[in-house]
Amino acid sequence: MRTRSPGGGAARAVREWLLIAAMLAVAWSPVVMAVPPLLLALLWDQEWLFGPVALVALALARGAAEGGHLPGRAVRPDEEPELAALVQKIADRLAFREPLLVRIVPDPDAAVARLRVRGVRTYVMVLGLPLLRGLTEAQLASVIAHELAHEQHVRHRRTDWLGRSRALLDARLGTAFRPLFAPLAAPLLRASQPAAWRAETAADAGAARVAGTAATREALARTGALAAAFHGLGGQWCSALEADGAYPADFYTALDTALRDPYVARLAAREAAEDEAVDPYASDGHPPTAVRAAALPDVEPPPGLRFRDVPLRLAHASAIERWCVARLVEPEGPASPAGAGDAPAVEPGALRPARLLDTDPDRLRDLADRAADGTGPLPLLTATERTSPADALSAALDAVADGSWPLLARRLEPGLRKLPPAVREAAGRAVLGSAVCRVLERTLREAGWTYTVRWLTTVLTAPDGTVLDLRALLTEALETGDPAPVRALLAAPDPKEVAL
């Protein structure tokens, strides 16, 4: 089914084609500029010049040449009938008639890519295992419908090229040549972002008409929290265990269990929202979740197309989980061309398996704490030039009150100076909040406070039973410039000095 580009209009079409041309010109300009020096190097027989220039050009051109391989682990319909039936049901509803393969990846991602498989143009749907485990069937149906509807929108040539040119320019910003690209790329990305956002909200509307508004709204919020927990808490587990020569054999089960804790769920939702708010170059093609949810049409699933409020059942769940864990440990391992019943393609090297759910809670919290920053309260003491945690906390809170905290944040992390101005303040709040939270947590622990949950060191219970989320408290203090609630907290329990 061929669809029209969202919006339309001759003036908009001309503007978007001009933006596409400008973005491609900027993205490829260093490669084009490298051609004259290469020719001169050949004409003048200056090999010393040819080598460096050629390497730069190849490095910039490599991204466009990469791709074309099948990602993830293959899923055959006879091996995962429920997943295959769900995808087919949604494809039929959207009149998506193209050949469609399904692959499972370890990350919380979902996408549809066009590839040539044995010479035939094929569509490949990628679904992340965290989504398959963490979403209900109705929410998963919404995610699948969004990706298929989005693919139908980008069949319009202008929409397709707009997305490709934005992606290429965004990729250039992730290279060592960012200072060269940023002044030209940011205005172009900002100007083309509304068109990219229209495509996303149009796909969201298509998803809502398949799975219903409620399930689509829930899926938008849930996928953001899953991604934040996967990359945040899950990334800390993997990093800390790898440093100890181990890997988390029950990674996905532990992540599911952790997300059922309300404090972990709230932290993940907060981190997802904070991540959405940081977009210095307007490169994010997805609107913030709140914007997407507000734009949804108010519809119910069509009659006869109802979905369950429980996760989909995978017939070979254990084998798929083992394969995905192996990919977490060995990301460069080969993709699996076979079905779900196969063993992992590679073993996780010389690392020994460890079970997070069997780990002592203090040890588990230590893993996350050490992966985030194993230096304890020392950074804040050094940055404030104080000799005791209490004095360092007082100095940090003074800086919050008088507005000089960005300077203190830069002392903690000198690299903040190199960040774009649009994200420097938010990143500085995160750096300072983490450093203050570490000292505050240890101070309160010495005063008799205890950990509330096994997953986090930042949620504590007071001797009187009061539960406090330290990160939320400090985030509010930094955003409002009012450290009074933190000072009151320190004064109430008469916290002891912490021995370093």
Side-chain angles (χ1 to χ4, degrees):
M1 181 178 73
R2 188 177 182 88
T3 60
R4 294 182 178 274
S5 175
R12 175 180 291 173
V14 171
R15 182 175 183 272
E16 289 180 1
W17 277 117
L18 289 174
L19 283 170
I20 291 167
M23 286 189 288
L24 291 175
V26 171
W28 286 107
S29 58
V31 179
V32 175
M33 292 169 61
V35 172
L38 286 174
L39 293 176
L40 291 174
L42 291 173
L43 290 173
W44 293 346
D45 196 24
Q46 299 292 318
E47 292 84 355
W48 67 271
L49 180 62
F50 181 85
V53 175
L55 286 174
V56 170
L58 287 173
L60 289 168
R62 186 177 61 180
E66 291 178 345
H69 67 282
L70 289 172
R73 180 185 178 87
V75 176
R76 289 200 294 259
D78 60 330
E79 293 170 331
E80 294 296 341
E82 290 192 18
L83 178 57
L86 179 63
V87 173
Q88 189 59 54
K89 183 191 299 186
I90 297 167
D92 291 343
R93 179 69 190 183
L94 293 172
F96 191 92
R97 308 300 185 194
E98 306 290 344
L100 182 63
L101 302 178
V102 179
R103 313 277 295 192
I104 294 178
V105 295
D107 305 328
D109 296 330
V112 172
R114 282 170 287 176
L115 300 173
R116 299 198 74 83
V117 179
R118 297 174 183 174
V120 179
R121 188 183 72 172
T122 305
Y123 289 83
V124 179
M125 168 161 283
V126 170
L127 293 172
L129 182 58
L131 303 183
L132 294 171
R133 295 174 63 104
L135 300 181
T136 66
E137 184 180 279
Q139 295 162 0
L140 182 62
S142 172
V143 171
I144 294 170
H146 172 97
E147 298 303 331
L148 292 178
H150 191 273
E151 183 58 37
Q152 289 178 319
H153 286 308
V154 300
R155 290 184 193 177
H156 188 283
R157 185 174 300 174
R158 187 173 81 245
T159 306
D160 185 20
W161 275 100
L162 187 77
R164 290 173 180 270
S165 57
R166 281 178 55 84
L168 180 60
L169 196 53
D170 182 34
R172 293 288 190 257
L173 289 171
T175 68
F177 300 93
R178 185 177 66 185
L180 171 66
F181 284 107
L184 296 174
L188 293 172
L189 289 169
R190 191 169 294 111
S192 60
Q193 191 177 58
W197 284 14
R198 284 194 298 272
E200 289 298 328
T201 54
D204 287 339
R209 294 187 180 97
V210 170
T213 301
T216 301
R217 184 178 291 113
E218 293 163 0
L220 289 172
R222 183 67 176 167
T223 52
L226 281 169
F230 179 92
H231 295 292
L233 189 60
Q236 291 170 357
W237 292 337
C238 291
S239 297
L241 283 175
E242 185 177 1
D244 287 345
Y247 72 94
D250 61 342
F251 176 87
Y252 292 98
T253 305
L255 192 66
D256 293 343
T257 306
L259 278 167
R260 286 195 287 270
D261 185 285
Y263 294 104
V264 176
R266 280 197 288 269
L267 175 63
R270 187 164 65 241
E271 289 180 343
E274 291 172 354
D275 185 59
E276 285 182 341
V278 179
D279 187 18
Y281 300 114
S283 59
D284 195 344
H286 296 79
T289 298
V291 174
R292 296 174 67 179
L296 290 173
D298 189 9
V299 292
E300 294 290 332
L305 197 64
R306 299 291 176 176
F307 305 101
R308 296 173 297 178
D309 289 327
V310 295
L312 191 78
R313 188 184 71 86
L314 293 174
H316 297 84
S318 297
I320 292 172
E321 181 179 355
R322 289 196 305 271
W323 190 90
C324 287
V325 169
R327 290 285 70 70
L328 290 177
V329 180
E330 299 282 353
E332 301 303 323
S336 168
D342 293 345
V346 296
E347 293 298 330
L351 301 179
R352 68 181 187 279
R355 285 187 53 82
L356 292 164
L357 291 177
D358 295 339
T359 302
D360 178 77
D362 287 336
R363 165 69 173 158
L364 189 61
R365 284 186 291 262
D366 178 65
L367 286 176
D369 196 44
R370 189 153 48 86
D373 178 8
T375 55
L378 284 175
L380 190 65
L381 271 65
T382 302
T384 57
E385 299 179 341
R386 299 298 193 273
T387 58
S388 73
D391 290 343
L393 279 174
S394 179
L397 296 177
D398 288 343
V400 172
D402 63 25
S404 64
W405 67 263
L407 177 60
L408 180 56
R410 288 195 295 272
R411 289 178 186 164
L412 287 162
E413 178 49 71
L416 289 173
R417 295 181 175 86
K418 300 178 181 179
L419 293 180
V423 299
R424 196 176 297 152
E425 183 174 334
R429 282 199 299 267
V431 168
L432 181 59
S434 179
V436 173
C437 187
R438 190 169 298 276
V439 181
L440 182 59
E441 175 250 316
R442 295 198 180 193
T443 302
L444 294 177
R445 286 275 294 152
E446 286 291 315
W449 292 55
T450 57
Y451 292 119
T452 308
V453 298
R454 63 178 289 146
W455 312 103
L456 304 172
T457 61
T458 56
V459 181
L460 299 179
T461 300
D464 65 0
T466 302
V467 177
L468 183 65
D469 185 334
L470 302 184
R471 288 305 298 263
L473 178 72
L474 291 169
T475 297
E476 183 177 0
L478 283 164
E479 289 177 347
T480 61
D482 180 15
V486 185
R487 293 191 192 279
L489 178 68
L490 288 168
D494 189 22
K496 304 174 183 177
E497 288 289 311
V498 180
L500 300 181

